[in-house]
Amino acid sequence: MSEASAMRGPTTGAWEDLARSASRPGETAAGGESLRQLLCLSVDGSPYAVPIESVREIVRMRKITPIPRVTRRVCGVISLRGEIIQVLDLRLRLGLSAFEATKSSRIVVVQVDDGRVAGLLVDAVQEVLRVGEEAIGAPASSDVQALVEGLCTRGEEFVSLLDLERVLELEDDA
Amino acid sequence: MTRRKVQTRRRSKADREFVSEAEEILEAMRADLADLSDRLAACREPDPELVNSLFRSAHSLKALAGMFRFDPIQGLSHRLEDVLDGLRLGRVPLQPALLALIDETVALFAALLERVGDPAAIEASGAATLELTERIAAAASARPEPQDDFASLDLDPMMLRALTEYEEHRLRENLRRGRHIALVQMAFDITRFEEGLSQLGGAVRENGEVLSTLPSAGDVPDSQIRFALLVATDLDAESLAAHLDLPDAEIRTVRASASPAVPAEPAAGGEQAGAPAALREAESEEAPAQPAFTDLESLKSISDTVRVDIRKLDDLMNLVGELVIQRGAIGDLIARLSSQAGTARLADEFAKVHKSLDRKLRELQSAVLEVRMVPLRQVFEKVSRVVRRLRRDLAKDVELEIRGADTELDKLIVEALVDPLMHVVRNAIDHAIEPPEERRARGKAQSGRIAIDAFQRGSHVVIAVRDDGRGIDTERLRAKAEEQGLVEPGALLSEKETLDLVFAPGLSSRESVTETSGRGVGMDVVRANLVALGGLVDVESTPGRGTTISMTLPITLAIIQSLIVGAREQRFAIPLNAVLETMVVDADAIQVSEGRELLNLRGEPLVLRRLADEFGLQTGAAAERPFVIVVGIGEQRIGLVVDRLEGQQDTVIKPIQGPIQELRGISGATDLGDQDPVLVLDVTALVEDAGRRREAA
């Protein structure tokens, strides 16, 4: 399914407009430098971001069917209109405490360039940030797993831009 | 007639149809040409069937182009047909230059096809077409080969005169190769002679080439008719008689095998024409197993066929799958409505509508499945082409026998079957069938036989490849397995377990690596490919007598019936085609032996696997009286212990997308309509794991 039609899915709700406005192509800042649009996520109280072009769909929490034997790395699978997609707990993936569902919890379905798909469990989806490419700085050196590819600012706080290619790389040790 | 309708519709559609059909013919021509030039490069006999097949292709192309009024191709293919006719009659010698010319013609056809619908471009290539047409015409008018002298043959001159030009050519060719020529005569009851004649022809073809079939004079009652088959064979009359084993057939030597005949002397005879119209076309030994269609028939079947991209069928299949799922959801709704007092009557009516919807949906489903089914014939034809080539390359005498070519399978499975099947057949020719001298020494027929049998068994299709070769040397197989550390020296293996070692990675049963097979990829790849399709492969072998490899495949991968079971709090789907039976057992009926749980199933021990333990499911309680689902594929079976049976459902198995690719024991997942996906068990893997664990124990 193409990204565009996924965005039009019935479950996306108000995020539809948000995502559509964010993914307007060819938009540049006044200075002419290219802008990146990042979807901000809240994970265990901290802000993270993923490139909006990698986001296929945002869905509310739903029943996740566990996959035996691999539950520590993948929470399970959901069915997205018949497509079966693995869901990762982003908190666990980032080395934080395990996820607990709340009203604001969402599953962000992402797809990276090589076609790999996954759902990411997050505590909340916040907003779309537009930042110039040059405003994205190097990640903190303390990031041992190298899951963060850059940092940008939102007001006073830093937002960690996730390297989705890396996030979706799980060792096959099943 | 359909054809006419097509023509009066929009031109572009007719063009498209023409192009796709013509491309199919060109594809076949390219394959034949490649085979032919391989043979020429190896300085071998041109295969008469290849030339015949090319000739038929050119003829079909000409007729097709004529039907669609596509003159440039029609003209060119007409010339090509001439030159190929010359080739098959031996009038035109087969030379690299001629093959190159035919190659060039096929390339021009392809170029012309690309321009269909663009008259200007066609016009522009007119000169090239004309030039090539002239060169082909020149090639076709090459001088005829001088006639052999058939006078030395002990054959009725009347019969000689009745031979067609092609038959004469084949006779001459066989004389040159020094084969025995024999005349087989037999009388048949006039009311049923066709059957008898085709039986006789079939039997003879197993031992040689039928050069001509003619009605023959002879002292027979009016109710009978007598036929004479002119046969070229490697056997003398006596052993031919023994092989045919038809006491009523009269066999006479026309010419005993000799050193190749003296090169042809110019002699009388000249062109001869006029064989009886019926029974004219001689069939060569390589003729396909089914009767050749006349060109008219094959064109008709083409025009009645719609070619569809398999992906469109996949889409259609998915849509039907989703409908099936929705139907399940409606069923649930009805159940809820009927349980409430106020809506029970409405639910009744609803249920009726649902039932008829259900019926229609099933029809739709099977119709869509039906569309995806294709006969195995096309795969088998590819195989027989390869066999033809291999038997020359390896200097082995091999005959291929195919049964069940009409057995149908899902198109995708058929595609995926080509490589494994090809591999098994190559293995049989390369490894199993002994060289002719060895076979003679062992008292076997000189030519080896490979029989491919396809038949349906329940929701599976079995394809068995049987050879009458040397069989698998289990001792050597075991020695190699030990050498490679696959088996502990001294470990106790049953005959079957030893044979199964042929599927172990890296074991090729013959020491020398040949070009045909044994390149390190072997039966393990065959097995992996089949297992990936939800199938299985089995081997049986008798030393000195032969080997049978049976491949079992599901008929379709699309919608399957599954048994939904519960283990602790989780549901799983088990494809019903793997389920042999289900039963409730008491806890004390389960025995423990060597760390395994066993159930006495009508006197046979059945190894049990608890699904909850298998998958480490902890939450929720185990049932006191669990269910045992006996699953099996092929010979092996195990019992899966589950807590609940939740019913039977149509399921569309979807791949699981995500970072983890290898999920052992799970082949996919299915959505039953409640947005709560159910994992589908990979029964093959579970059964295999059980076997492996036993070996380890």
Side-chain angles (χ1 to χ4, degrees):
Chain A
M1 195 180 296
S2 79
E3 207 166 292
S5 66
M7 288 296 182
R8 250 176 271 125
T11 47
T12 46
W15 291 107
E16 186 188 345
D17 293 335
L18 179 67
R20 200 180 285 150
S21 73
S23 55
R24 217 176 285 143
E27 197 178 350
T28 54
E33 80 273 30
S34 64
L35 274 181
R36 287 192 72 177
Q37 288 125 27
L38 308 173
L39 181 68
C40 291
L41 319 163
S42 169
V43 181
D44 200 19
S46 307
Y48 288 85
V50 293
I52 194 84
E53 64 272 12
S54 303
V55 178
R56 250 178 58 173
E57 192 161 342
I58 301 163
V59 295
R60 288 180 182 280
M61 274 307 288
R62 59 172 76 191
K63 179 114 198 283
I64 298 174
T65 301
I67 311 177
R69 294 176 180 166
V70 293
T71 41
R72 286 193 54 77
R73 291 167 296 146
V74 171
C75 310
V77 292
I78 55 167
S79 165
L80 208 59
R81 291 181 294 283
E83 248 187 297
I84 310 290
I85 296 171
Q86 293 177 10
V87 177
L88 313 185
D89 180 346
L90 200 48
R91 284 215 222 178
L92 276 184
R93 187 76 188 91
L94 293 169
L96 308 166
S97 62
F99 173 87
E100 276 170 53
T102 67
K103 252 184 103 179
S104 65
S105 302
R106 292 290 183 277
I107 300 169
V108 179
V109 181
V110 296
Q111 179 159 24
V112 293
D113 286 346
D114 62 12
R116 279 178 300 152
V117 180
L120 301 177
L121 267 182
V122 302
D123 296 315
V125 171
Q126 294 167 330
E127 65 192 307
V128 174
L129 264 191
R130 288 158 203 242
V131 296
E133 195 72 69
E134 81 298 331
I136 300 175
S141 55
S142 62
D143 175 27
V144 283
Q145 293 190 78
L147 297 177
V148 174
E149 64 172 333
L151 281 181
C152 60
T153 53
R154 179 176 63 176
E156 294 299 301
E157 62 181 350
F158 285 109
V159 178
S160 305
L161 175 58
L162 290 173
D163 182 344
L164 285 179
E165 301 268 350
R166 288 272 176 82
V167 171
L168 297 199
E169 253 163 43
L170 298 178
E171 311 83 64
D172 262 8
D173 59 13
Chain B
M1 225 162 126
T2 3
R3 200 175 307 158
R4 185 131 309 167
K5 260 189 258 158
V6 168
Q7 266 186 348
T8 54
R9 268 191 224 142
R10 276 188 306 137
R11 185 66 204 168
S12 66
K13 181 156 185 189
D15 279 352
R16 278 205 305 275
E17 196 168 310
F18 168 61
V19 170
S20 87
E21 287 170 21
E23 270 174 347
E24 209 165 74
I25 297 175
L26 287 189
E27 197 45 54
M29 293 181 81
R30 285 196 195 100
D32 289 341
L33 265 178
D35 280 0
L36 205 54
S37 60
D38 281 357
R39 298 187 48 70
L40 195 64
C43 298
R44 290 169 203 266
E45 293 287 319
D47 182 338
E49 186 49 36
L50 279 177
V51 179
N52 276 335
S53 159
L54 270 173
F55 170 74
R56 284 196 295 265
S57 292
H59 184 80
S60 307
L61 190 61
K62 183 183 78 172
L64 186 72
M67 197 170 88
F68 284 91
R69 305 233 169 81
F70 198 74
D71 298 341
I73 288 187
Q74 192 191 1
L76 196 54
S77 47
H78 181 66
R79 291 289 163 215
L80 186 62
E81 190 186 342
D82 281 352
V83 78
L84 287 168
D85 197 29
L87 196 59
R88 82 190 183 111
L89 297 177
R91 256 194 272 127
V92 179
L94 182 65
Q95 288 164 344
L98 182 64
L99 276 187
L101 185 63
I102 300 173
D103 241 343
E104 211 181 313
T105 312
V106 171
L108 183 61
F109 282 142
L112 284 171
L113 282 184
E114 269 175 32
R115 292 171 197 158
V116 166
D118 183 354
I122 298 274
E123 191 75 44
S125 50
T129 312
L130 199 64
E131 187 258 344
L132 197 55
T133 308
E134 277 167 8
R135 271 162 57 209
I136 295 179
S141 59
R143 73 265 161 256
E145 194 178 276
Q147 294 290 317
D148 288 71
D149 189 1
F150 290 148
S152 67
L153 300 181
D154 178 14
L155 203 60
D156 184 351
M158 288 291 284
M159 180 145 188
L160 264 181
R161 265 202 295 282
L163 296 181
T164 64
E165 197 182 349
Y166 177 74
E167 288 164 352
E168 268 183 24
H169 164 61
R170 292 305 307 156
L171 175 59
R172 202 172 292 126
E173 193 62 33
N174 278 291
L175 284 172
R176 201 174 55 70
R177 280 159 61 187
R179 295 178 97 186
H180 289 282
I181 307 295
L183 197 65
V184 178
Q185 299 191 80
M186 194 164 165
F188 301 99
D189 200 49
I190 204 149
T191 52
R192 291 182 309 154
F193 76 89
E194 280 163 324
E195 194 183 317
L197 188 58
S198 89
Q199 246 170 33
L200 175 63
V204 171
R205 260 176 223 113
E206 284 176 11
N207 298 287
E209 176 178 348
V210 177
L211 299 173
S212 178
T213 306
L214 296 167
S216 84
D219 195 12
V220 290
D222 279 353
S223 64
Q224 289 199 331
I225 180 166
R226 204 163 119 108
F227 281 92
L229 272 66
L230 191 60
V231 178
T233 166
D234 292 328
L235 306 170
D236 58 32
E238 207 170 300
S239 36
L240 181 62
H243 274 93
L244 288 182
D245 195 22
L246 292 167
D248 292 343
E250 178 190 315
I251 299 168
R252 184 165 68 80
T253 306
V254 173
R255 191 200 68 170
S257 175
S259 50
V262 196
E265 316 154 23
E271 293 284 318
Q272 289 172 352
L279 309 168
R280 232 179 41 180
E281 187 82 325
E283 290 231 11
S284 77
E285 61 183 312
E286 279 101 358
Q290 90 276 28
F293 293 111
T294 69
D295 290 315
L296 188 68
E297 271 171 330
S298 65
L299 276 180
K300 181 164 177 254
S301 76
I302 288 177
S303 67
D304 282 346
T305 305
V306 182
R307 291 156 53 91
V308 182
D309 187 335
I310 187 79
R311 277 167 299 189
K312 286 189 186 167
L313 291 183
D314 283 344
D315 290 346
L316 199 56
M317 202 69 238
N318 278 336
L319 275 176
V320 173
E322 279 167 33
L323 278 179
V324 168
I325 287 166
Q326 296 299 323
R327 179 198 61 192
I330 294 176
D332 289 348
L333 276 179
I334 293 173
R336 270 165 60 193
L337 283 178
S338 61
S339 66
Q340 285 163 23
T343 50
R345 269 189 53 197
L346 193 61
D348 265 4
E349 285 173 43
F350 202 177
K352 273 180 208 147
V353 179
H354 183 243
K355 208 167 179 181
S356 82
L357 175 74
D358 190 72
R359 208 166 41 236
K360 289 292 162 207
L361 208 48
R362 269 175 208 286
E363 281 170 27
L364 177 63
Q365 190 178 323
S366 61
V368 174
L369 283 177
E370 185 68 23
V371 171
R372 300 174 59 96
M373 304 292 265
V374 291
L376 281 163
R377 183 176 306 287
Q378 349 172 336
V379 176
F380 287 172
E381 273 166 15
K382 279 185 197 163
V383 171
S384 57
R385 216 164 46 221
V386 169
V387 169
R388 279 207 294 276
R389 202 162 72 211
L390 281 179
R391 81 169 137 210
R392 272 113 194 180
D393 293 354
L394 298 172
K396 283 188 183 172
D397 214 343
V398 179
E399 299 197 0
L400 182 67
E401 193 180 302
I402 288 173
R403 279 188 294 263
D406 290 323
T407 311
E408 293 193 325
L409 268 178
D410 190 290
K411 169 84 177 163
L412 282 182
I413 298 182
V414 169
E415 290 294 313
L417 179 69
V418 177
D419 287 344
L421 181 63
M422 213 70 106
H423 193 93
V424 167
V425 172
R426 275 169 195 244
N427 251 332
I429 298 177
D430 193 19
H431 292 163
I433 302 285
E434 309 91 333
E437 47 299 352
E438 192 181 329
R439 290 184 67 89
R440 268 198 303 271
R442 287 169 184 268
K444 291 182 175 182
Q446 174 169 323
S447 65
R449 291 179 76 170
I450 294 177
I452 304 183
D453 270 288
F455 53 93
Q456 192 172 338
R457 183 190 280 161
S459 54
H460 284 85
V461 163
V462 181
I463 299 158
V465 179
R466 193 176 71 243
D467 67 61
D468 68 348
R470 51 169 70 97
I472 294 173
D473 182 345
T474 45
E475 270 170 42
R476 194 158 67 177
L477 186 64
R478 173 159 186 155
K480 281 195 81 180
E482 285 182 8
E483 197 179 295
Q484 299 198 8
L486 294 164
V487 175
E488 287 291 314
L492 206 63
L493 291 186
S494 69
E495 187 73 4
K496 175 102 184 80
E497 285 166 325
T498 315
L499 269 182
D500 277 345
L501 286 172
V502 297
F503 301 116
L507 274 192
S508 184
S509 59
R510 210 177 184 197
E511 269 140 35
S512 68
V513 170
T514 67
E515 210 198 314
T516 322
S517 54
R519 284 187 220 95
V521 296
M523 294 302 289
D524 57 320
V525 177
V526 168
R527 173 153 80 169
N529 287 350
L530 292 173
V531 166
L533 295 169
L536 145 138
V537 56
D538 244 343
V539 59
E540 279 168 55
S541 184
T542 314
R545 300 282 298 278
T547 303
T548 303
I549 308 270
S550 310
M551 295 173 271
T552 307
L553 287 160
I555 287 175
T556 181
L557 297 174
I559 298 181
I560 57 163
Q561 283 263 304
S562 290
L563 188 65
I564 311 296
V565 301
R568 302 297 191 269
E569 289 176 337
Q570 193 157 351
R571 294 185 295 171
F572 294 91
I574 305 175
L576 211 55
N577 56 30
V579 175
L580 302 171
E581 60 183 301
T582 61
M583 62 192 89
V584 193
V585 293
D586 287 317
D588 56 6
I590 298 174
Q591 304 163 23
V592 180
S593 151
E594 295 169 46
R596 289 178 299 161
E597 288 186 308
L598 297 174
L599 186 70
N600 182 336
L601 181 64
R602 291 182 290 274
E604 293 281 324
L606 177 74
V607 176
L608 299 181
R609 307 283 307 273
R610 290 180 184 268
L611 211 50
D613 298 345
E614 192 67 24
F615 287 141
L617 308 175
Q618 278 141 11
T619 49
E624 271 173 38
R625 298 188 71 209
F627 290 88
V628 171
I629 322 273
V630 184
V631 294
I633 290 191
E635 300 295 298
Q636 299 144 308
R637 55 200 52 187
I638 58 169
L640 290 173
V641 183
V642 302
D643 298 320
R644 293 179 307 284
L645 285 190
E646 297 192 357
Q648 207 169 300
Q649 288 227 24
D650 286 321
T651 46
V652 184
I653 301 181
K654 294 287 179 79
I656 296 180
Q657 306 186 61
I660 297 186
Q661 298 297 317
E662 166 79 16
L663 295 167
R664 185 76 189 165
I666 291 164
S667 62
T670 183
D671 185 339
L672 298 179
D674 49 9
Q675 282 204 345
D676 178 10
V678 173
L679 300 176
V680 181
L681 298 183
D682 177 354
V683 173
T684 313
L686 291 172
V687 173
E688 270 180 9
D689 282 356
R692 204 163 298 152
R693 216 159 287 186
R694 184 174 43 145
E695 274 164 31

